[in-house]
Amino acid sequence: MRFDLRKRLEKVEAKADAGVSWASALVKHRYQPACTYNRGQLEEIGRQDDLAGKVARGLLRICRYADDAPRVEFDGEAELVRTLASLYADPLAWVIFSFEWGQEGALSLVPFEDVRFDVRHGPDKWAAQFLDDLGAEIEARPFDRKAPVPAVRMGISSGHSIGKTMLQSLLMLFMISTRDHCRGVATSTTASQLFTRLWPELLTWLSRSIIAPFFDTLNAKGSMRLFHREHPNTWRIDGATAAPENSEAFAGLHNATSATVFLLDEASGIDARIWRAIEGSMVDGSPLLVAVGNPVRREGEFYRVFTDAAHRWNLRRVDSREAYLTNKEQIAAWLEDWGEDSDFFRVRVKGAFPSQSLTQFIGADLVAAAQEREVPPVGFTDAPILGVDVARFGSDASTIAIRCGRNARDIPSRTYRGLDTRQLAMEVARLANELRTTLHFSQVFICVDGIGVGAGVVDTLRAWNFDVVDVQAAGRAIDSRTYANVRAELYGKLKAWLPGGAIERTPELAEDIAAADFGFNRQGQILLEAKDSIRSRLGRSPDRSDALALTFAVEPAIVMPGDDWMQDGQRKAEELYLRTGRLPPGFEEHDPYTRLS
């Protein structure tokens, strides 16, 4: 009995030593020149059906040989780890080395032409270019396992069916097999996407790979994991859904002496809180962030990656027509039915962001035009209307938007944080009085979102004898046949106003206005996306657009500065200004915007 126990302990220790040798060998050989083998020896060993034979065939595929190279003692596992370490910054070569291209159905579908490698089949051309670019990014950040290096950020915006899931599987296998004790998380918008698509694809490619004897996967709902068999707890990439409440799975994942990898599938739909949690985990070690998806939204973090943050990313757009295995007949039918420039074709085929998200209530083109449009200056337009959106959460800002007829730009909006309802009411009152005295209007309209804490602002302003419109966003719309509630109706009026209006030229306002998706309730009424849903996607509340929409809660009659100006005079004055840039006689004295602080 004592003898049996000793033998069992010896086996456990042997396994532990093997695991440690993998880790130490990956580190040791990463910084050594790649070994060149004798070609004849590789061809002889490659006829074997064991691990050594697979390694030899892989080395032949990546041309790691010379006819006059000396023969060496060839241990299959040792040479495997040595080669994996040498491919640390060459993911395309790793892909060619690790799979028996041309020997199996899925491995012999796509023609491959690259003089660096001795294969006729391989990954698609776009994927090979991505892998080469990734290798260049890694090579530009040499990592000494002590000082952290800048994160590698790679992004793919694509049409359908190009092979994104396969690429993500290859990336996970590459990272976990070339970095000792690699850690990471792969995520998608739903558990179904992870459980039924990404993880089964990963398992399939792992089973085909040369590293299959040393790594394994779990694919159970709530427990999806790719891991090193000898170090399942410290050498692993986990699958986790991108639900906002799951952000803790991405926070605090640090790996100072090795690599941390984050893969974001269907990245357009991933909540802003997940993106923020990932950012907090990329401050040490050698981090990699890869975001892929169809570009279905013109807002959110994935859209920002391809616009405002593009300078920090290595980005590409992949057209489905360029992918080898896509159904070209189906794509041709879509082209005929929808047209090259349709949003349907842009998103599903060209991999380009739509001019308007498919469920977007207000298109980005309307918003952009309103930011560029010139209208007559404040001073001879309609009476000012203040829209007051009251903050309900600590991260939100109370916002006051000012619109005078078609002009919602000349008087910038105000934002406040940390004010109680009385303090905010004081700011509204101060601004209203300033507009009265400066613009010579007898009335300034004030529209306050009176739900929740906003009621305190309404009550305070009324106690000070201000005429305030208490807007109840969830209340019954005036046009109840079209809109499900007041909020939807106000945004509907904003949408109708934008083609002739001018708004502030800030990216935050543009994103806020275009953020809301819409649908229809059972009565066929327009219903906007919930504000909390927009907040989770943008990472902030759409305070700026809500404040502007509130200005449409009243429809004041057109009132000109001075008693002798009538509506016809305003129309003629606007026409002259837009044509010549000059105000007609009598209007100059009513252009006091420059005096407004």
Side-chain angles (χ1 to χ4, degrees):
M1 183 68 180
R2 190 177 306 164
F3 177 79
D4 290 341
L5 178 59
R6 186 168 59 252
K7 290 188 68 175
R8 289 182 183 179
L9 288 173
E10 288 174 354
K11 288 182 179 181
V12 171
E13 290 172 357
K15 287 185 177 181
D17 290 341
V20 171
S21 67
W22 252 77
S24 59
L26 284 178
V27 175
K28 175 183 177 182
H29 295 296
R30 179 183 306 167
Y31 305 104
Q32 293 181 352
C35 185
T36 301
Y37 297 85
N38 181 279
R39 179 172 185 170
Q41 182 184 17
L42 290 182
E43 290 174 342
E44 291 172 9
I45 299 173
R47 299 187 186 100
Q48 301 171 191
D49 199 27
D50 56 5
L51 179 63
K54 293 179 181 179
V55 173
R57 292 193 295 273
L59 290 168
L60 288 168
R61 287 192 296 272
I62 62 174
C63 301
R64 286 279 182 87
Y65 56 77
D67 291 335
D68 57 350
R71 289 176 173 253
V72 298
E73 183 179 350
F74 200 93
D75 176 87
E77 184 174 350
E79 298 305 326
L80 170 62
V81 180
R82 178 194 296 269
T83 305
L84 293 175
S86 71
L87 298 175
Y88 172 84
D90 197 347
L92 179 56
W94 179 93
V95 168
I96 301 302
F97 168 77
S98 299
F99 299 93
E100 301 272 10
W101 294 101
Q103 300 300 310
E104 186 185 340
L107 295 172
S108 60
L109 293 177
V110 180
F112 185 78
E113 296 180 3
D114 191 318
V115 296
R116 294 173 293 175
F117 307 110
D118 187 14
V119 289
R120 295 183 180 180
H121 298 88
D124 209 339
K125 185 176 180 179
W126 72 266
Q129 183 62 58
F130 175 93
L131 293 167
D132 266 342
D133 286 355
L134 173 59
E137 294 282 351
I138 295 170
E139 193 168 13
R141 299 163 172 80
F143 179 52
D144 62 4
R145 300 174 58 82
K146 296 177 182 178
V149 296
V152 176
R153 302 168 187 267
M154 306 286 290
I156 301 173
S157 166
S158 78
H160 287 297
S161 303
I162 66 165
K164 298 188 297 292
T165 307
M166 180 197 79
L167 177 67
Q168 291 175 87
S169 300
L170 296 181
L171 287 176
M172 282 191 276
L173 296 174
F174 164 70
M175 292 296 291
I176 204 168
S177 66
T178 58
R179 279 100 170 124
D180 65 296
H181 297 283
C182 175
R183 295 290 306 276
V185 180
T187 189
S188 188
T189 49
T190 65
S192 175
Q193 174 77 7
L194 281 173
F195 184 69
T196 64
R197 293 186 59 187
L198 181 56
W199 236 250
E201 184 85 356
L202 171 64
L203 182 58
T204 298
W205 283 97
L206 174 61
S207 67
R208 295 171 178 152
S209 76
I210 200 168
I211 65 170
F214 309 98
F215 293 86
D216 205 350
T217 66
L218 289 177
N219 188 25
K221 287 186 177 179
S223 182
M224 286 173 279
R225 184 188 308 170
L226 168 67
F227 57 93
H228 192 290
R229 292 177 187 268
E230 301 299 333
H231 299 273
N233 294 322
T234 61
W235 198 333
R236 56 192 269 189
I237 298 175
D238 294 282
T241 61
E245 60 273 14
N246 205 26
S247 60
E248 291 183 1
F250 304 84
L253 182 57
H254 299 288
N255 203 6
T257 61
S258 188
T260 310
V261 56
F262 297 94
L263 297 178
L264 278 60
D265 186 30
E266 303 298 341
S268 258
I270 291 180
D271 190 277
R273 282 171 282 185
I274 300 296
W275 289 82
R276 287 199 299 269
I278 290 173
E279 287 293 334
S281 295
M282 295 200 300
V283 295
D284 59 7
S286 176
L288 169 66
L289 172 57
V290 179
V292 302
N294 302 117
V296 297
R297 298 180 182 274
R298 285 185 62 92
E299 72 276 335
E301 297 301 318
F302 190 57
Y303 179 67
R304 189 174 291 110
V305 162
F306 282 83
T307 52
D308 299 342
H311 59 287
R312 296 192 182 94
W313 289 72
N314 187 315
L315 301 172
R316 72 212 58 243
R317 178 170 64 88
V318 182
D319 191 311
S320 294
R321 291 170 291 186
E322 300 170 2
Y324 186 81
L325 295 177
T326 51
N327 187 330
K328 305 303 190 294
E329 290 184 5
Q330 178 63 70
I331 292 174
W334 285 344
L335 179 61
E336 181 179 352
D337 293 344
W338 294 90
E340 178 88 19
D341 295 326
S342 68
D343 280 343
F344 180 94
F345 199 80
R346 285 171 61 85
V347 172
R348 288 169 171 77
V349 178
K350 297 170 74 173
F353 285 91
S355 59
Q356 175 175 329
S357 298
L358 302 183
T359 58
Q360 190 176 355
F361 187 59
I362 299 177
D365 53 343
L366 280 179
V367 180
Q371 289 189 312
E372 295 301 321
R373 183 176 296 111
E374 296 294 341
V375 297
V378 166
F380 64 103
T381 54
D382 300 63
I385 306 172
L386 307 187
V388 184
D389 183 66
V390 185
R392 289 171 173 75
F393 299 93
S395 60
D396 296 348
S398 293
T399 304
I400 306 174
I402 304 97
R403 180 175 66 87
C404 298
R406 293 197 291 148
N407 195 323
R409 178 189 302 147
D410 280 358
I411 308 176
S413 59
R414 273 74 163 161
T415 60
Y416 308 92
R417 297 185 184 276
L419 300 187
D420 60 31
T421 55
R422 184 177 178 83
Q423 291 171 324
L424 179 59
M426 290 177 63
E427 294 298 330
V428 174
R430 183 181 296 113
L431 178 58
N433 288 331
E434 186 178 11
L435 290 169
R436 280 199 189 99
T437 57
T438 307
L439 297 181
H440 307 299
F441 279 101
S442 60
Q443 185 173 12
V444 174
F445 296 88
I446 303 173
C447 304
V448 180
D449 181 3
I451 296 179
V453 294
V457 178
V458 172
D459 292 342
T460 302
L461 288 171
R462 285 179 174 171
W464 295 341
N465 296 318
F466 283 90
D467 188 9
V468 180
V469 179
D470 182 358
V471 183
Q472 297 292 311
R476 180 183 175 86
I478 296 173
D479 183 5
S480 59
R481 294 184 61 183
T482 304
Y483 300 104
N485 53 35
V486 169
R487 176 169 174 261
E489 186 172 41
L490 294 181
Y491 268 87
K493 291 180 177 180
L494 171 59
K495 182 177 182 179
W497 172 87
L498 279 171
I503 61 175
E504 294 178 79
R505 297 185 175 102
T506 64
E508 294 82 6
L509 176 60
E511 191 174 37
D512 285 4
I513 294 176
D517 287 348
F518 80 104
F520 296 91
N521 61 15
R522 293 181 180 179
Q523 290 73 42
Q525 299 164 309
I526 293 174
L527 185 65
L528 290 191
E529 180 184 9
K531 190 170 179 176
D532 285 347
S533 176
I534 299 173
R535 179 188 292 109
S536 67
R537 194 169 70 247
L538 294 182
R540 65 172 189 276
S541 179
D543 305 310
R544 296 168 180 82
S545 62
D546 281 357
L548 181 57
L550 285 167
T551 67
F552 294 92
V554 294
E555 296 182 6
I558 296 176
V559 180
M560 299 304 300
D563 297 334
D564 55 340
W565 291 99
M566 301 301 292
Q567 184 170 340
D568 187 56
Q570 179 197 23
R571 180 181 57 79
K572 291 179 180 178
E574 288 187 2
E575 290 176 355
L576 178 65
Y577 178 81
L578 293 175
R579 189 171 66 251
T580 68
R582 292 183 293 102
L583 297 175
F587 275 87
E588 293 92 337
E589 64 184 84
H590 302 298
D591 185 22
Y593 169 63
T594 56
R595 301 196 301 274
L596 184 64
S597 60

